[in-house]
Every structure is written in C-alpha cells, then in structure tokens.
C-alpha cells in the first residue's frame, strides 16, 4: 500500500493514509526479557521528552506505560507534508509477578529508547501438592474402600 500512496501520485489525507497503513493501533510495542533477577522492558519512543511525555506507574501487579508524541503543527501546514512517524497517545500494561516493589524499578531514556528495569522478588520454591481425584457414582465408586483418604500428598 505504501507504493500506491508514495509513487502513484495519489494525494491521500494524512489521517486516512495512517489508518489504511495500520498506524491507528493505540498500544506501545515493547521488547521484554529477563537478565538474572531483573525484568527488562524496552520501548522505542523517539522524539519525545521523557520528563513530560511519558508516565510510568505500577498498580494491580501491572506496569503501566503511557506516552504522548505531538506532531509539529508548523510542519503539517507546509506544502507536500508527509509523515510516517507515529503521533498521538499510546499505552501498554505489562503484568508483573506478585511482590514486585516499586522502589526496585528504574526507568532510563537514551537515544530514543525507554528502558525500565524491574527487580524481581525472590521466588521461594513452594512444594508441589498433588490432588487426588475421587470418582463419584458408577461401579468403581461403590467398590471403593469406604472413607475418604488423605487427598493431599
């Protein structure tokens, strides 16, 4: 579709072009991975001021990222204006493991990339509990040895 708009000489209003090319998705795209006991979340956010255009919060065991990027109105008014950059508001919520402490979260912004490092809580190995399934009704249930046994082993 880019070829149709870019080389075909077809004048398409910017909002329509963006919609047709799938740029109306309101969510941020993230890269996420774990380094030892740290969860790393990276978001490409070029052309923003991280102090005013990004809000990061934690609630309900989720990391919430919200960003804004405004289009330069001086550029929009110029003849032949075309932009393939993403503008507007975008957000994303990422589930966190239970027990993450807010003082263990650090966000940095460098070269257009927002990086959030989250200290993960220590995981205590909880013992596995096996639950026995008891058949009710039918021939096998009537032949069972009476009372219920210890169902948790």
């Amino acid at each position: 579709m880019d070829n149709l708009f870019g080389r075909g000489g077809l004048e398409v209003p910017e909002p329509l072009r963006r919609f047709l090319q799938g740029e109306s998705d309101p969510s941020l795209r993230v890269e996420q991975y774990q380094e030892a006991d740290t969860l790393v979340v990276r978001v490409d956010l070029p052309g923003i001021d991280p102090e005013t255009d990004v809000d990061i919060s934690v609630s309900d065991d989720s990391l919430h990222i919200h960003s804004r990027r405004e289009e330069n109105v001086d550029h929009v008014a110029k003849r032949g204006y075309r932009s393939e950059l993403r503008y507007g508001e975008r957000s994303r919520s990422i589930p966190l493991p239970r027990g993450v402490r807010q003082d263990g979260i650090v966000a940095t912004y460098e070269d257009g990339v927002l990086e959030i490092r989250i200290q993960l809580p220590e995981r205590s190995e909880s013992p596995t509990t096996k639950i026995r399934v008891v058949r009710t009704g039918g021939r096998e249930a009537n032949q069972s040895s009476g009372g219920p046994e210890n169902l948790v082993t």
Side-chain angles (χ1 to χ4, degrees), residues 66-81:
H66 182 86
S67 74
R68 295 167 291 287
R69 183 173 182 192
E70 300 295 324
E71 206 164 11
N72 186 327
V73 293
D74 294 334
H75 295 164
V76 174
K78 292 184 179 178
R79 185 171 182 218
Y81 175 74

Side-chain angles (χ1 to χ4, degrees), residues 32-53:
Q32 179 178 327
Y33 55 91
Q34 189 171 335
E35 285 182 345
D37 59 351
T38 302
L39 176 65
V40 180
V41 178
R42 295 171 45 96
V43 185
D44 283 339
L45 293 173
I48 62 144
D49 179 349
E51 294 177 4
T52 60
D53 298 335

Side-chain angles (χ1 to χ4, degrees), residues 1 5 15-26 29 86 90:
M1 194 159 320
F5 294 144
L16 178 60
R17 183 197 62 77
R18 290 179 183 168
F19 174 76
L20 292 173
Q21 290 183 327
E23 295 179 24
S24 60
D25 180 16
R29 297 180 187 225
R86 297 182 97 186
R90 307 257 186 260

Side-chain angles (χ1 to χ4, degrees), residues 1 4 6 12 17 38 46 60 71 74 86-88 99 102 107 117 123 127-128 133 138 142:
M1 194 159 320
L4 175 67
V12 176
R17 183 197 62 77
T38 302
D60 301 325
E71 206 164 11
D74 294 334
R86 297 182 97 186
Y87 296 103
Q102 291 186 17
R117 300 181 78 78
R123 297 181 80 182
T128 302
V133 178
N142 293 333

